[in-house]
Amino acid sequence: MAAHDTLERQQEQQLTEAIRVAVPERSLRHDLRAVSIVWRRELIRFRSDRLRAVTSLVQPVLFLFVLGTGLSRLAAHGMPAGIDFKTFIYPGVLAMSVLFTAIFSAASIVWDREFGFLREMLVAPVRRWAIVVGKCLGGATVATFQGIIFLALAGVAHVPYSPALLLTLVGELLLLSFTLTAFGVMLAARVKQIQAFMALTQMLVLPMFFLSGALYPLAGLPAWLTVLTRIDPLTYVVYPMRHAVFSHLSVSPATLNALSPGLTWFGWPVPIGLCLALVAAMGVALLAVAIAEFQRTE
Amino acid sequence: MTPAISVSELTKRYGEIDAVRGIGFEVPTGETFGFLGPNGAGKSTTIKILCTLADPTSGTARVAGHDVVKERDTVRRNIGLVFQDTTLDSYLTGEQNLRFHADLYGVPKAAFAPRLRQVLEMVGLWERRGSVVATYSGGMQRRLEIARGLLHAPRVLFLDEPTVGLDPQTRDAIWEYINDLKKREDITIFLTTHYMDEAENCERIAIIDHGKIVAMDTPEALKASVGKDRVQISTADDQEAIRALADTFGIEAAMHEGRVTFSVESGEQFVPRLFAGLPVAIRSVSVSRPSLDDVFMSYTGKTIRDAEASIADRNRAVAARFGRR
Ligand SMILES: Nc1ncnc2c1ncn2[C@@H]1O[C@H](COP(=O)(O)OP(=O)(O)OP(=O)(O)O)[C@@H](O)[C@H]1O
Ligand SMILES: [Mg+2]
């Protein structure tokens, strides 16, 4: 009996000793661990929310099949022979497939605030940038993943499954998703009601899509529309994506010129690299603003 | 030894509202200290300042020996928190919630698994760790939050109304965990409540009203300081009864909770004299030993329930003015 008691006490002691936890001084490694867990949480939540993955595919699928098929007969007059209208709008609709998911990921910050979980994150002994960066990476990953699902439908739009093309498109989707999430997170720092957030993003997303040249070529437009398309950030992703798709099709230079003309600023052709660099720079700038804003909130 | 918490001249203004109006106190290491006060007294605001979530308007506060404004991060590493409203991610499982917390607080990876098991067993949730939090009952969520607050072995644990909205059994169970915890870990607990009986569990309490500390001592000492029993009667004519009490017995009575209420030295002996001497018909009588509610009343001139009712009235008035809700 006595021996049994001592054994138990020993075990208890071991347990207490084993769990002596000392929270370490703050370090970069610790901050990176925070980035990683915030990121992983987004993935876990996306995985458990299959409905969201399905519903966010509805819009792009509608655009591609219903709008694409419906308009193709009308568009056929303007289309070079042998090119499907669906092929033409595919890159733009692909960009759209990540648009909503990326911004909805940012909306989860507004939810987190409403349900209190944001407070659990903000009171932790980590730098705020770690939380914001984790959130943006998480949103970007989830949205890119969504884009990849839509990418699987490329064949239906007669876009070839070439590894080089797919890789380019995934890279461009990732860049776009990251910038969009950063934009959403920046907005979420200020807009604290979910309804207001949704209304505001709805108001921004559709014009951005329509002005991006997703549904029409960027050349020969009236002056006012030319200016607006050049201001729309989405243009600088849709153009490189369409360029990538068309350079993997075997089409005549005339067709290429009609459907995927170069993007110009006052007649100067903007290189693809610069377009992508612009989007990346915008993403980093938005991220910086988002971090600064979260630094200030209680 | 430096106290676990020391606060002096602390104030907090929210625009027009003075939420905290110059409070000061010290909590020695290892104590369970309670803030008792009605709705809107400034309890949560004080906790937010101590946890570095809000900046004080003026005054200073130190937690675990560190200034809450200048040494935010050090303070954060040393505290555990359970907020008044839940802050769990209800889409994650109990274990995932705790893992998230461990990574945010940098709990060493090797220590996580045994510590997880220990805190979850302590609150009786080890078997349910794989379930999504949305499927937990209110009491289970509260217990999970307490486990999470303890995961990184904080030196000071803040509990803002840890048992609000829970049934009496769950409240008792949570108090058992808290008392058990005191035996196992070297920890200081700061909690707020507006339940009188709960405040009795604290080693020392501060009574707070309208952003000010009106009394601070052990529950026993506070009750002893009141000394008198509380008598409440309902009569055929309450106004007449109050007048008669003043004229005949020289006792100052007032209406509280809808009954004529007053304090006397030894209540039981006074009741027969009351029946003999009061010209108004008495319907019922109750005599109670001094409770913390009487302490509250003797310092603020109202019972805690009166105070909450008047806050509710004020809120309703404000809401009516803005024509919302
Ligand atoms: N963020 C805020 N902005 C404006 N006023 C606030 C804010 N937070 C608290 N207050 C006000 O400060 C006062 C004290 O509030 P506090 O939440 O500290 O009360 P409490 O004692 O915790 O009450 P309860 O028991 O209801 O939780 C209240 O009048 C409240 O309206
Ligand atoms: Mg409160």
Side-chain angles (χ1 to χ4, degrees), chain A residues 25-297:
Chain A
E25 287 284 310
R26 204 168 66 182
S27 63
L28 184 64
R29 231 182 83 215
H30 174 189
D31 285 334
L32 290 178
R33 193 171 158 196
V35 171
S36 138
I37 191 68
V38 173
W39 185 352
R40 273 190 315 204
R41 169 170 174 254
E42 294 298 307
L43 300 190
I44 293 172
R45 290 193 56 162
F46 182 70
R47 212 172 44 203
S48 63
D49 194 0
R50 295 208 183 83
L51 188 64
R52 191 175 96 183
V54 173
T55 51
S56 7
L57 272 179
V58 170
Q59 283 228 358
V61 165
L62 270 179
F63 265 85
L64 186 65
F65 290 102
V66 179
L67 192 76
T69 311
L71 285 183
S72 64
R73 286 194 26 232
L74 198 61
H77 304 289
M79 294 292 287
I83 302 285
D84 189 347
F85 183 63
K86 287 205 281 291
T87 315
F88 173 71
I89 62 170
Y90 183 79
V93 179
L94 180 61
M96 176 194 211
S97 73
V98 304
L99 203 62
F100 286 102
T101 312
I103 291 194
F104 282 176
S105 300
S108 73
I109 288 201
V110 185
W111 284 117
D112 282 347
R113 193 197 309 279
E114 222 147 272
F115 292 105
F117 193 75
L118 187 66
R119 211 183 243 187
E120 150 82 355
M121 294 194 260
L122 294 187
V123 80
V126 290
R127 296 239 182 244
R128 293 275 165 92
W129 68 254
I131 291 162
V132 177
V133 168
K135 203 83 192 177
C136 288
L137 289 179
T141 315
V142 166
T144 306
F145 196 72
Q146 187 81 48
I148 289 174
I149 301 177
F150 191 71
L151 210 49
L153 298 176
V156 185
H158 314 297
V159 173
Y161 293 104
S162 125
L165 174 61
L166 293 182
L167 221 58
T168 313
L169 288 179
V170 169
E172 285 164 353
L173 282 178
L174 196 60
L175 187 65
L176 173 65
S177 308
F178 177 79
T179 302
L180 284 171
T181 316
F183 171 72
V185 170
M186 181 206 73
L187 216 58
R190 294 198 180 186
V191 183
K192 304 200 166 146
Q193 275 88 36
I194 192 78
Q195 289 93 338
F197 184 88
M198 289 303 186
L200 201 63
T201 50
Q202 290 285 340
M203 202 188 74
L204 289 169
V205 161
L206 275 184
M208 248 166 70
F209 176 67
F210 285 133
L211 290 175
S212 68
L215 302 175
Y216 46 83
L218 284 176
L221 300 170
W224 63 271
L225 190 53
T226 306
V227 171
L228 287 180
T229 52
R230 273 29 170 208
I231 292 172
D232 183 358
L234 199 57
T235 302
Y236 298 92
V237 182
V238 171
Y239 165 58
M241 293 213 296
R242 179 171 295 143
H243 180 86
V245 168
F246 275 83
S247 60
H248 281 83
L249 298 172
S250 41
V251 290
S252 68
T255 307
L256 200 62
N257 209 28
L259 293 185
S260 181
L263 180 65
T264 54
W265 282 342
F266 307 107
W268 180 65
V270 187
I272 299 282
L274 181 60
C275 286
L276 296 175
L278 266 177
V279 176
M282 203 152 42
V284 172
L286 289 168
L287 182 68
V289 175
I291 290 171
E293 275 181 345
F294 272 99
Q295 221 93 39
R296 275 191 283 114
T297 44

Side-chain angles (χ1 to χ4, degrees), chain B residues 38-45 47-48 84-85 160-161 192 194:
Chain B
N39 289 138
K43 306 181 296 290
S44 296
T45 305
I47 285 212
K48 271 189 219 155
Q84 186 167 354
D85 316 303
D160 196 0
E161 314 237 3
T192 72
H194 57 233

Side-chain angles (χ1 to χ4, degrees), chain A residues 12 15-16 18-26 29-30 33-34 36-38 40-41 44-45 47-49 112 115-117 119-128 131 295 298, chain B residues 12 14 48 51-55 73 76-77 81 83 85-89 91-92 96-97 99-109 111 114-115 118 148 151-153 184-185:
Chain A
E12 192 148 294
L15 193 60
T16 344
I19 48 87
R20 278 268 163 261
V21 187
V23 174
E25 287 284 310
R26 204 168 66 182
R29 231 182 83 215
H30 174 189
R33 193 171 158 196
S36 138
I37 191 68
V38 173
R40 273 190 315 204
R41 169 170 174 254
I44 293 172
R45 290 193 56 162
R47 212 172 44 203
S48 63
D49 194 0
D112 282 347
F115 292 105
F117 193 75
R119 211 183 243 187
E120 150 82 355
M121 294 194 260
L122 294 187
V123 80
V126 290
R127 296 239 182 244
R128 293 275 165 92
I131 291 162
Q295 221 93 39
E298 277 191 352
Chain B
K12 177 73 182 175
Y14 284 113
K48 271 189 219 155
C51 296
T52 78
L53 268 179
D55 284 331
D73 290 321
R76 287 181 181 185
R77 271 206 303 276
L81 265 172
F83 292 106
D85 316 303
T86 105
T87 60
L88 295 165
D89 184 339
Y91 290 90
L92 301 185
Q96 282 169 337
N97 265 287
R99 183 175 293 278
F100 188 93
H101 185 87
D103 281 359
L104 273 193
Y105 280 75
V107 172
K109 292 215 168 85
R115 180 68 180 171
Q118 194 188 33
R148 184 178 68 180
L151 189 67
H152 57 284
R184 280 159 171 264
E185 315 218 353

